[in-house]
PDB file of all heavy atoms in Angstrom:
ATOM      1  N   LYS O 128     -37.805  19.452  79.683  1.00 90.00           N
ATOM      2  CA  LYS O 128     -36.944  18.639  80.522  1.00 90.00           C
ATOM      3  C   LYS O 128     -37.591  18.132  81.808  1.00 90.00           C
ATOM      4  O   LYS O 128     -37.156  17.167  82.341  1.00 90.00           O
ATOM      5  CB  LYS O 128     -35.673  19.398  80.835  1.00 90.00           C
ATOM      6  CG  LYS O 128     -34.798  19.630  79.645  1.00 90.00           C
ATOM      7  CD  LYS O 128     -33.539  20.422  79.968  1.00 90.00           C
ATOM      8  CE  LYS O 128     -32.685  20.667  78.738  1.00 90.00           C
ATOM      9  NZ  LYS O 128     -31.498  21.473  79.032  1.00 90.00           N
ATOM     10  N   VAL O 129     -38.653  18.819  82.272  1.00 93.00           N
ATOM     11  CA  VAL O 129     -39.340  18.367  83.496  1.00 93.00           C
ATOM     12  C   VAL O 129     -40.152  17.130  83.169  1.00 93.00           C
ATOM     13  O   VAL O 129     -40.610  16.406  84.097  1.00 93.00           O
ATOM     14  CB  VAL O 129     -40.280  19.463  84.108  1.00 93.00           C
ATOM     15  CG1 VAL O 129     -39.429  20.637  84.600  1.00 93.00           C
ATOM     16  CG2 VAL O 129     -41.343  19.920  83.153  1.00 93.00           C
ATOM     17  N   ILE O 130     -40.376  16.798  81.924  1.00 96.00           N
ATOM     18  CA  ILE O 130     -41.050  15.560  81.549  1.00 96.00           C
ATOM     19  C   ILE O 130     -40.008  14.462  81.425  1.00 96.00           C
ATOM     20  O   ILE O 130     -39.162  14.533  80.601  1.00 96.00           O
ATOM     21  CB  ILE O 130     -41.829  15.733  80.223  1.00 96.00           C
ATOM     22  CG1 ILE O 130     -42.963  16.721  80.442  1.00 96.00           C
ATOM     23  CG2 ILE O 130     -42.341  14.385  79.749  1.00 96.00           C
ATOM     24  CD1 ILE O 130     -43.793  16.999  79.159  1.00 96.00           C
ATOM     25  N   LEU O 131     -40.068  13.492  82.332  1.00 97.00           N
ATOM     26  CA  LEU O 131     -39.061  12.457  82.403  1.00 97.00           C
ATOM     27  C   LEU O 131     -39.340  11.292  81.465  1.00 97.00           C
ATOM     28  O   LEU O 131     -38.407  10.633  81.037  1.00 97.00           O
ATOM     29  CB  LEU O 131     -39.022  11.960  83.833  1.00 97.00           C
ATOM     30  CG  LEU O 131     -38.783  13.064  84.938  1.00 97.00           C
ATOM     31  CD1 LEU O 131     -38.761  12.407  86.288  1.00 97.00           C
ATOM     32  CD2 LEU O 131     -37.451  13.799  84.685  1.00 97.00           C
ATOM     33  N   ASN O 132     -40.600  10.997  81.218  1.00 96.00           N
ATOM     34  CA  ASN O 132     -40.936   9.862  80.368  1.00 96.00           C
ATOM     35  C   ASN O 132     -42.366  10.032  79.822  1.00 96.00           C
ATOM     36  O   ASN O 132     -43.187  10.695  80.453  1.00 96.00           O
ATOM     37  CB  ASN O 132     -40.803   8.571  81.135  1.00 96.00           C
ATOM     38  CG  ASN O 132     -40.794   7.343  80.248  1.00 96.00           C
ATOM     39  OD1 ASN O 132     -40.597   7.438  79.040  1.00 96.00           O
ATOM     40  ND2 ASN O 132     -40.906   6.169  80.822  1.00 96.00           N
ATOM     41  N   ILE O 133     -42.611   9.409  78.674  1.00 97.00           N
ATOM     42  CA  ILE O 133     -43.933   9.405  78.083  1.00 97.00           C
ATOM     43  C   ILE O 133     -44.260   7.962  77.688  1.00 97.00           C
ATOM     44  O   ILE O 133     -43.508   7.364  76.971  1.00 97.00           O
ATOM     45  CB  ILE O 133     -44.085  10.301  76.838  1.00 97.00           C
ATOM     46  CG1 ILE O 133     -43.610  11.722  77.149  1.00 97.00           C
ATOM     47  CG2 ILE O 133     -45.472  10.308  76.344  1.00 97.00           C
ATOM     48  CD1 ILE O 133     -43.521  12.611  75.924  1.00 97.00           C
ATOM     49  N   ILE O 134     -45.382   7.447  78.233  1.00 96.00           N
ATOM     50  CA  ILE O 134     -45.802   6.084  77.920  1.00 96.00           C
ATOM     51  C   ILE O 134     -47.088   6.172  77.138  1.00 96.00           C
ATOM     52  O   ILE O 134     -48.077   6.736  77.613  1.00 96.00           O
ATOM     53  CB  ILE O 134     -45.986   5.295  79.244  1.00 96.00           C
ATOM     54  CG1 ILE O 134     -44.658   5.293  80.064  1.00 96.00           C
ATOM     55  CG2 ILE O 134     -46.452   3.875  78.946  1.00 96.00           C
ATOM     56  CD1 ILE O 134     -44.819   4.776  81.434  1.00 96.00           C
ATOM     57  N   GLN O 135     -47.065   5.542  75.940  1.00 96.00           N
ATOM     58  CA  GLN O 135     -48.178   5.676  75.009  1.00 96.00           C
ATOM     59  C   GLN O 135     -48.968   4.423  74.945  1.00 96.00           C
ATOM     60  O   GLN O 135     -48.435   3.321  74.950  1.00 96.00           O
ATOM     61  CB  GLN O 135     -47.589   6.068  73.598  1.00 96.00           C
ATOM     62  CG  GLN O 135     -48.571   6.087  72.522  1.00 96.00           C
ATOM     63  CD  GLN O 135     -48.617   4.822  71.656  1.00 96.00           C
ATOM     64  OE1 GLN O 135     -47.541   4.202  71.480  1.00 96.00           O
ATOM     65  NE2 GLN O 135     -49.745   4.453  71.167  1.00 96.00           N
ATOM     66  N   SER O 136     -50.308   4.567  74.840  1.00 95.00           N
ATOM     67  CA  SER O 136     -51.171   3.475  74.551  1.00 95.00           C
ATOM     68  C   SER O 136     -52.030   3.862  73.320  1.00 95.00           C
ATOM     69  O   SER O 136     -51.843   4.930  72.747  1.00 95.00           O
ATOM     70  CB  SER O 136     -52.088   3.078  75.693  1.00 95.00           C
ATOM     71  OG  SER O 136     -53.175   3.954  75.817  1.00 95.00           O
ATOM     72  N   ASN O 137     -53.002   3.063  72.950  1.00 94.00           N
ATOM     73  CA  ASN O 137     -53.755   3.375  71.744  1.00 94.00           C
ATOM     74  C   ASN O 137     -54.605   4.651  71.885  1.00 94.00           C
ATOM     75  O   ASN O 137     -54.884   5.298  70.912  1.00 94.00           O
ATOM     76  CB  ASN O 137     -54.676   2.172  71.386  1.00 94.00           C
ATOM     77  CG  ASN O 137     -55.734   1.910  72.398  1.00 94.00           C
ATOM     78  OD1 ASN O 137     -55.318   1.424  73.513  1.00 94.00           O
ATOM     79  ND2 ASN O 137     -56.998   2.137  72.164  1.00 94.00           N
ATOM     80  N   ASN O 138     -54.980   5.014  73.144  1.00 96.00           N
ATOM     81  CA  ASN O 138     -55.771   6.211  73.325  1.00 96.00           C
ATOM     82  C   ASN O 138     -55.314   7.014  74.530  1.00 96.00           C
ATOM     83  O   ASN O 138     -56.145   7.780  75.070  1.00 96.00           O
ATOM     84  CB  ASN O 138     -57.287   5.829  73.428  1.00 96.00           C
ATOM     85  CG  ASN O 138     -57.612   5.218  74.787  1.00 96.00           C
ATOM     86  OD1 ASN O 138     -56.801   4.493  75.323  1.00 96.00           O
ATOM     87  ND2 ASN O 138     -58.780   5.585  75.300  1.00 96.00           N
ATOM     88  N   SER O 139     -54.081   6.929  74.919  1.00 97.00           N
ATOM     89  CA  SER O 139     -53.642   7.706  76.050  1.00 97.00           C
ATOM     90  C   SER O 139     -52.108   7.926  76.077  1.00 97.00           C
ATOM     91  O   SER O 139     -51.354   7.238  75.376  1.00 97.00           O
ATOM     92  CB  SER O 139     -53.985   6.957  77.358  1.00 97.00           C
ATOM     93  OG  SER O 139     -53.189   5.772  77.522  1.00 97.00           O
ATOM     94  N   LEU O 140     -51.756   8.945  76.793  1.00 97.00           N
ATOM     95  CA  LEU O 140     -50.354   9.246  77.113  1.00 97.00           C
ATOM     96  C   LEU O 140     -50.195   9.388  78.594  1.00 97.00           C
ATOM     97  O   LEU O 140     -50.945  10.167  79.195  1.00 97.00           O
ATOM     98  CB  LEU O 140     -49.832  10.546  76.406  1.00 97.00           C
ATOM     99  CG  LEU O 140     -49.774  10.520  74.889  1.00 97.00           C
ATOM    100  CD1 LEU O 140     -49.463  11.953  74.382  1.00 97.00           C
ATOM    101  CD2 LEU O 140     -48.777   9.513  74.397  1.00 97.00           C
ATOM    102  N   LEU O 141     -49.258   8.646  79.217  1.00 97.00           N
ATOM    103  CA  LEU O 141     -48.984   8.843  80.628  1.00 97.00           C
ATOM    104  C   LEU O 141     -47.671   9.661  80.673  1.00 97.00           C
ATOM    105  O   LEU O 141     -46.623   9.252  80.236  1.00 97.00           O
ATOM    106  CB  LEU O 141     -48.774   7.519  81.324  1.00 97.00           C
ATOM    107  CG  LEU O 141     -48.371   7.577  82.806  1.00 97.00           C
ATOM    108  CD1 LEU O 141     -49.362   8.376  83.623  1.00 97.00           C
ATOM    109  CD2 LEU O 141     -48.215   6.163  83.392  1.00 97.00           C
ATOM    110  N   ILE O 142     -47.814  10.873  81.243  1.00 97.00           N
ATOM    111  CA  ILE O 142     -46.620  11.760  81.372  1.00 97.00           C
ATOM    112  C   ILE O 142     -46.060  11.640  82.802  1.00 97.00           C
ATOM    113  O   ILE O 142     -46.723  11.868  83.757  1.00 97.00           O
ATOM    114  CB  ILE O 142     -47.089  13.207  81.180  1.00 97.00           C
ATOM    115  CG1 ILE O 142     -47.904  13.404  79.878  1.00 97.00           C
ATOM    116  CG2 ILE O 142     -45.864  14.183  81.193  1.00 97.00           C
ATOM    117  CD1 ILE O 142     -47.128  13.118  78.612  1.00 97.00           C
ATOM    118  N   ILE O 143     -44.789  11.201  82.837  1.00 97.00           N
ATOM    119  CA  ILE O 143     -44.074  11.099  84.131  1.00 97.00           C
ATOM    120  C   ILE O 143     -43.251  12.375  84.208  1.00 97.00           C
ATOM    121  O   ILE O 143     -42.454  12.627  83.283  1.00 97.00           O
ATOM    122  CB  ILE O 143     -43.201   9.844  84.220  1.00 97.00           C
ATOM    123  CG1 ILE O 143     -44.044   8.561  83.898  1.00 97.00           C
ATOM    124  CG2 ILE O 143     -42.542   9.743  85.552  1.00 97.00           C
ATOM    125  CD1 ILE O 143     -45.184   8.323  84.826  1.00 97.00           C
ATOM    126  N   TYR O 144     -43.385  13.105  85.276  1.00 97.00           N
ATOM    127  CA  TYR O 144     -42.711  14.443  85.386  1.00 97.00           C
ATOM    128  C   TYR O 144     -41.961  14.613  86.707  1.00 97.00           C
ATOM    129  O   TYR O 144     -42.208  13.878  87.678  1.00 97.00           O
ATOM    130  CB  TYR O 144     -43.724  15.536  85.192  1.00 97.00           C
ATOM    131  CG  TYR O 144     -44.776  15.628  86.297  1.00 97.00           C
ATOM    132  CD1 TYR O 144     -44.664  16.452  87.388  1.00 97.00           C
ATOM    133  CD2 TYR O 144     -45.942  14.873  86.194  1.00 97.00           C
ATOM    134  CE1 TYR O 144     -45.579  16.568  88.365  1.00 97.00           C
ATOM    135  CE2 TYR O 144     -46.901  14.929  87.220  1.00 97.00           C
ATOM    136  CZ  TYR O 144     -46.712  15.802  88.272  1.00 97.00           C
ATOM    137  OH  TYR O 144     -47.677  15.835  89.287  1.00 97.00           O
ATOM    138  N   ASP O 145     -41.089  15.568  86.754  1.00 96.00           N
ATOM    139  CA  ASP O 145     -40.302  15.870  87.923  1.00 96.00           C
ATOM    140  C   ASP O 145     -41.126  16.803  88.837  1.00 96.00           C
ATOM    141  O   ASP O 145     -41.247  17.968  88.558  1.00 96.00           O
ATOM    142  CB  ASP O 145     -38.997  16.579  87.501  1.00 96.00           C
ATOM    143  CG  ASP O 145     -38.048  16.820  88.673  1.00 96.00           C
ATOM    144  OD1 ASP O 145     -38.506  16.728  89.838  1.00 96.00           O
ATOM    145  OD2 ASP O 145     -36.881  17.050  88.413  1.00 96.00           O
ATOM    146  N   ASN O 146     -41.767  16.228  89.832  1.00 94.00           N
ATOM    147  CA  ASN O 146     -42.675  16.961  90.686  1.00 94.00           C
ATOM    148  C   ASN O 146     -41.940  17.928  91.657  1.00 94.00           C
ATOM    149  O   ASN O 146     -42.573  18.634  92.432  1.00 94.00           O
ATOM    150  CB  ASN O 146     -43.642  16.052  91.460  1.00 94.00           C
ATOM    151  CG  ASN O 146     -42.919  15.058  92.290  1.00 94.00           C
ATOM    152  OD1 ASN O 146     -41.721  15.119  92.459  1.00 94.00           O
ATOM    153  ND2 ASN O 146     -43.654  14.095  92.858  1.00 94.00           N
ATOM    154  N   GLU O 147     -40.596  17.880  91.649  1.00 92.00           N
ATOM    155  CA  GLU O 147     -39.881  18.835  92.472  1.00 92.00           C
ATOM    156  C   GLU O 147     -39.642  20.114  91.711  1.00 92.00           C
ATOM    157  O   GLU O 147     -39.333  21.152  92.307  1.00 92.00           O
ATOM    158  CB  GLU O 147     -38.499  18.261  92.876  1.00 92.00           C
ATOM    159  CG  GLU O 147     -38.633  17.034  93.831  1.00 92.00           C
ATOM    160  CD  GLU O 147     -37.253  16.555  94.312  1.00 92.00           C
ATOM    161  OE1 GLU O 147     -36.248  17.112  93.858  1.00 92.00           O
ATOM    162  OE2 GLU O 147     -37.204  15.632  95.110  1.00 92.00           O
ATOM    163  N   LYS O 148     -39.861  20.130  90.374  1.00 90.00           N
ATOM    164  CA  LYS O 148     -39.628  21.316  89.571  1.00 90.00           C
ATOM    165  C   LYS O 148     -40.960  21.918  89.053  1.00 90.00           C
ATOM    166  O   LYS O 148     -40.974  23.074  88.641  1.00 90.00           O
ATOM    167  CB  LYS O 148     -38.719  21.006  88.395  1.00 90.00           C
ATOM    168  CG  LYS O 148     -37.273  20.672  88.855  1.00 90.00           C
ATOM    169  CD  LYS O 148     -36.377  20.484  87.689  1.00 90.00           C
ATOM    170  CE  LYS O 148     -34.962  20.229  88.140  1.00 90.00           C
ATOM    171  NZ  LYS O 148     -34.027  19.989  86.996  1.00 90.00           N
ATOM    172  N   VAL O 149     -41.970  21.156  89.005  1.00 93.00           N
ATOM    173  CA  VAL O 149     -43.268  21.662  88.518  1.00 93.00           C
ATOM    174  C   VAL O 149     -44.407  20.851  89.186  1.00 93.00           C
ATOM    175  O   VAL O 149     -44.278  19.675  89.483  1.00 93.00           O
ATOM    176  CB  VAL O 149     -43.366  21.502  86.966  1.00 93.00           C
ATOM    177  CG1 VAL O 149     -43.382  20.072  86.548  1.00 93.00           C
ATOM    178  CG2 VAL O 149     -44.586  22.272  86.412  1.00 93.00           C
ATOM    179  N   ASN O 150     -45.484  21.576  89.485  1.00 94.00           N
ATOM    180  CA  ASN O 150     -46.655  20.898  90.052  1.00 94.00           C
ATOM    181  C   ASN O 150     -47.630  20.492  88.980  1.00 94.00           C
ATOM    182  O   ASN O 150     -47.500  20.869  87.819  1.00 94.00           O
ATOM    183  CB  ASN O 150     -47.363  21.747  91.132  1.00 94.00           C
ATOM    184  CG  ASN O 150     -47.919  23.031  90.577  1.00 94.00           C
ATOM    185  OD1 ASN O 150     -48.449  23.103  89.455  1.00 94.00           O
ATOM    186  ND2 ASN O 150     -47.887  24.124  91.349  1.00 94.00           N
ATOM    187  N   LEU O 151     -48.567  19.630  89.386  1.00 95.00           N
ATOM    188  CA  LEU O 151     -49.481  19.061  88.413  1.00 95.00           C
ATOM    189  C   LEU O 151     -50.290  20.113  87.664  1.00 95.00           C
ATOM    190  O   LEU O 151     -50.445  20.057  86.405  1.00 95.00           O
ATOM    191  CB  LEU O 151     -50.454  18.097  89.129  1.00 95.00           C
ATOM    192  CG  LEU O 151     -51.507  17.374  88.254  1.00 95.00           C
ATOM    193  CD1 LEU O 151     -50.806  16.341  87.423  1.00 95.00           C
ATOM    194  CD2 LEU O 151     -52.530  16.748  89.132  1.00 95.00           C
ATOM    195  N   LYS O 152     -50.773  21.114  88.346  1.00 94.00           N
ATOM    196  CA  LYS O 152     -51.599  22.106  87.775  1.00 94.00           C
ATOM    197  C   LYS O 152     -50.836  22.895  86.690  1.00 94.00           C
ATOM    198  O   LYS O 152     -51.358  23.185  85.580  1.00 94.00           O
ATOM    199  CB  LYS O 152     -52.144  23.041  88.834  1.00 94.00           C
ATOM    200  CG  LYS O 152     -53.065  24.144  88.363  1.00 94.00           C
ATOM    201  CD  LYS O 152     -53.591  25.002  89.486  1.00 94.00           C
ATOM    202  CE  LYS O 152     -54.558  26.055  89.008  1.00 94.00           C
ATOM    203  NZ  LYS O 152     -55.002  26.944  90.092  1.00 94.00           N
ATOM    204  N   SER O 153     -49.596  23.266  86.974  1.00 94.00           N
ATOM    205  CA  SER O 153     -48.782  24.022  86.042  1.00 94.00           C
ATOM    206  C   SER O 153     -48.447  23.209  84.836  1.00 94.00           C
ATOM    207  O   SER O 153     -48.385  23.705  83.728  1.00 94.00           O
ATOM    208  CB  SER O 153     -47.537  24.558  86.732  1.00 94.00           C
ATOM    209  OG  SER O 153     -47.861  25.493  87.735  1.00 94.00           O
ATOM    210  N   LEU O 154     -48.119  21.904  85.052  1.00 95.00           N
ATOM    211  CA  LEU O 154     -47.786  21.058  83.920  1.00 95.00           C
ATOM    212  C   LEU O 154     -48.998  20.861  83.009  1.00 95.00           C
ATOM    213  O   LEU O 154     -48.831  20.930  81.776  1.00 95.00           O
ATOM    214  CB  LEU O 154     -47.329  19.666  84.425  1.00 95.00           C
ATOM    215  CG  LEU O 154     -47.008  18.665  83.330  1.00 95.00           C
ATOM    216  CD1 LEU O 154     -45.810  19.151  82.462  1.00 95.00           C
ATOM    217  CD2 LEU O 154     -46.688  17.295  83.935  1.00 95.00           C
ATOM    218  N   GLN O 155     -50.194  20.687  83.589  1.00 95.00           N
ATOM    219  CA  GLN O 155     -51.375  20.549  82.799  1.00 95.00           C
ATOM    220  C   GLN O 155     -51.593  21.833  81.955  1.00 95.00           C
ATOM    221  O   GLN O 155     -51.916  21.720  80.777  1.00 95.00           O
ATOM    222  CB  GLN O 155     -52.625  20.262  83.626  1.00 95.00           C
ATOM    223  CG  GLN O 155     -53.887  20.121  82.805  1.00 95.00           C
ATOM    224  CD  GLN O 155     -55.091  19.716  83.624  1.00 95.00           C
ATOM    225  OE1 GLN O 155     -54.931  19.058  84.662  1.00 95.00           O
ATOM    226  NE2 GLN O 155     -56.272  20.071  83.191  1.00 95.00           N
ATOM    227  N   HIS O 156     -51.425  22.971  82.568  1.00 94.00           N
ATOM    228  CA  HIS O 156     -51.591  24.218  81.850  1.00 94.00           C
ATOM    229  C   HIS O 156     -50.626  24.306  80.692  1.00 94.00           C
ATOM    230  O   HIS O 156     -50.982  24.732  79.584  1.00 94.00           O
ATOM    231  CB  HIS O 156     -51.368  25.391  82.830  1.00 94.00           C
ATOM    232  CG  HIS O 156     -51.848  26.745  82.330  1.00 94.00           C
ATOM    233  ND1 HIS O 156     -51.283  27.414  81.318  1.00 94.00           N
ATOM    234  CD2 HIS O 156     -52.921  27.471  82.705  1.00 94.00           C
ATOM    235  CE1 HIS O 156     -51.897  28.558  81.064  1.00 94.00           C
ATOM    236  NE2 HIS O 156     -52.926  28.611  81.925  1.00 94.00           N
ATOM    237  N   LEU O 157     -49.382  23.930  80.936  1.00 93.00           N
ATOM    238  CA  LEU O 157     -48.389  23.953  79.873  1.00 93.00           C
ATOM    239  C   LEU O 157     -48.746  23.040  78.727  1.00 93.00           C
ATOM    240  O   LEU O 157     -48.636  23.358  77.519  1.00 93.00           O
ATOM    241  CB  LEU O 157     -47.004  23.530  80.441  1.00 93.00           C
ATOM    242  CG  LEU O 157     -45.861  23.463  79.421  1.00 93.00           C
ATOM    243  CD1 LEU O 157     -45.592  24.864  78.819  1.00 93.00           C
ATOM    244  CD2 LEU O 157     -44.583  22.883  80.062  1.00 93.00           C
ATOM    245  N   LEU O 158     -49.231  21.810  79.046  1.00 94.00           N
ATOM    246  CA  LEU O 158     -49.647  20.815  78.018  1.00 94.00           C
ATOM    247  C   LEU O 158     -50.876  21.337  77.243  1.00 94.00           C
ATOM    248  O   LEU O 158     -50.931  21.098  76.028  1.00 94.00           O
ATOM    249  CB  LEU O 158     -49.852  19.483  78.598  1.00 94.00           C
ATOM    250  CG  LEU O 158     -48.579  18.804  79.189  1.00 94.00           C
ATOM    251  CD1 LEU O 158     -48.922  17.502  79.905  1.00 94.00           C
ATOM    252  CD2 LEU O 158     -47.555  18.532  78.062  1.00 94.00           C
ATOM    253  N   GLU O 159     -51.775  21.991  77.951  1.00 90.00           N
ATOM    254  CA  GLU O 159     -52.946  22.544  77.244  1.00 90.00           C
ATOM    255  C   GLU O 159     -52.532  23.612  76.324  1.00 90.00           C
ATOM    256  O   GLU O 159     -53.051  23.748  75.186  1.00 90.00           O
ATOM    257  CB  GLU O 159     -53.972  23.033  78.309  1.00 90.00           C
ATOM    258  CG  GLU O 159     -54.654  21.917  79.020  1.00 90.00           C
ATOM    259  CD  GLU O 159     -55.601  22.462  80.149  1.00 90.00           C
ATOM    260  OE1 GLU O 159     -55.439  23.643  80.471  1.00 90.00           O
ATOM    261  OE2 GLU O 159     -56.396  21.703  80.651  1.00 90.00           O
ATOM    262  N   TRP O 160     -51.576  24.451  76.740  1.00 88.00           N
ATOM    263  CA  TRP O 160     -51.050  25.518  75.885  1.00 88.00           C
ATOM    264  C   TRP O 160     -50.355  24.911  74.647  1.00 88.00           C
ATOM    265  O   TRP O 160     -50.568  25.317  73.529  1.00 88.00           O
ATOM    266  CB  TRP O 160     -50.020  26.341  76.655  1.00 88.00           C
ATOM    267  CG  TRP O 160     -49.162  27.240  75.785  1.00 88.00           C
ATOM    268  CD1 TRP O 160     -49.491  28.519  75.409  1.00 88.00           C
ATOM    269  CD2 TRP O 160     -47.938  26.922  75.195  1.00 88.00           C
ATOM    270  NE1 TRP O 160     -48.503  29.017  74.573  1.00 88.00           N
ATOM    271  CE2 TRP O 160     -47.514  28.065  74.449  1.00 88.00           C
ATOM    272  CE3 TRP O 160     -47.087  25.837  75.221  1.00 88.00           C
ATOM    273  CZ2 TRP O 160     -46.325  28.164  73.790  1.00 88.00           C
ATOM    274  CZ3 TRP O 160     -45.901  25.893  74.534  1.00 88.00           C
ATOM    275  CH2 TRP O 160     -45.481  26.998  73.833  1.00 88.00           C
ATOM    276  N   LEU O 161     -49.579  23.785  74.917  1.00 87.00           N
ATOM    277  CA  LEU O 161     -48.870  23.161  73.844  1.00 87.00           C
ATOM    278  C   LEU O 161     -49.847  22.585  72.774  1.00 87.00           C
ATOM    279  O   LEU O 161     -49.625  22.568  71.576  1.00 87.00           O
ATOM    280  CB  LEU O 161     -47.945  22.087  74.398  1.00 87.00           C
ATOM    281  CG  LEU O 161     -47.081  21.286  73.418  1.00 87.00           C
ATOM    282  CD1 LEU O 161     -46.128  22.226  72.689  1.00 87.00           C
ATOM    283  CD2 LEU O 161     -46.267  20.228  74.149  1.00 87.00           C
ATOM    284  N   SER O 162     -50.955  22.043  73.269  1.00 83.00           N
ATOM    285  CA  SER O 162     -51.900  21.405  72.380  1.00 83.00           C
ATOM    286  C   SER O 162     -52.488  22.408  71.375  1.00 83.00           C
ATOM    287  O   SER O 162     -52.989  22.013  70.287  1.00 83.00           O
ATOM    288  CB  SER O 162     -53.045  20.702  73.177  1.00 83.00           C
ATOM    289  OG  SER O 162     -53.912  21.677  73.752  1.00 83.00           O
ATOM    290  N   LEU O 163     -52.500  23.690  71.725  1.00 80.00           N
ATOM    291  CA  LEU O 163     -53.086  24.710  70.872  1.00 80.00           C
ATOM    292  C   LEU O 163     -52.074  25.275  69.906  1.00 80.00           C
ATOM    293  O   LEU O 163     -52.444  26.062  69.002  1.00 80.00           O
ATOM    294  CB  LEU O 163     -53.644  25.823  71.737  1.00 80.00           C
ATOM    295  CG  LEU O 163     -54.820  25.460  72.644  1.00 80.00           C
ATOM    296  CD1 LEU O 163     -55.171  26.624  73.501  1.00 80.00           C
ATOM    297  CD2 LEU O 163     -56.013  24.927  71.867  1.00 80.00           C
ATOM    298  N   GLN O 164     -50.800  24.876  70.051  1.00 77.00           N
ATOM    299  CA  GLN O 164     -49.721  25.437  69.180  1.00 77.00           C
ATOM    300  C   GLN O 164     -49.762  24.693  67.829  1.00 77.00           C
ATOM    301  O   GLN O 164     -49.987  23.468  67.816  1.00 77.00           O
ATOM    302  CB  GLN O 164     -48.361  25.354  69.871  1.00 77.00           C
ATOM    303  CG  GLN O 164     -48.299  26.004  71.205  1.00 77.00           C
ATOM    304  CD  GLN O 164     -48.809  27.408  71.191  1.00 77.00           C
ATOM    305  OE1 GLN O 164     -48.350  28.237  70.401  1.00 77.00           O
ATOM    306  NE2 GLN O 164     -49.726  27.705  72.057  1.00 77.00           N
TER     307      GLN O 164
END
């Protein structure tokens, strides 16, 4: 839910997130964890 929007291109994803609920470092850690699942 902290991810507000995802914008896709041919080789990228732009993640728009709620920076009042999560900081950049923690979100990146979460996405890195998710990529391994």
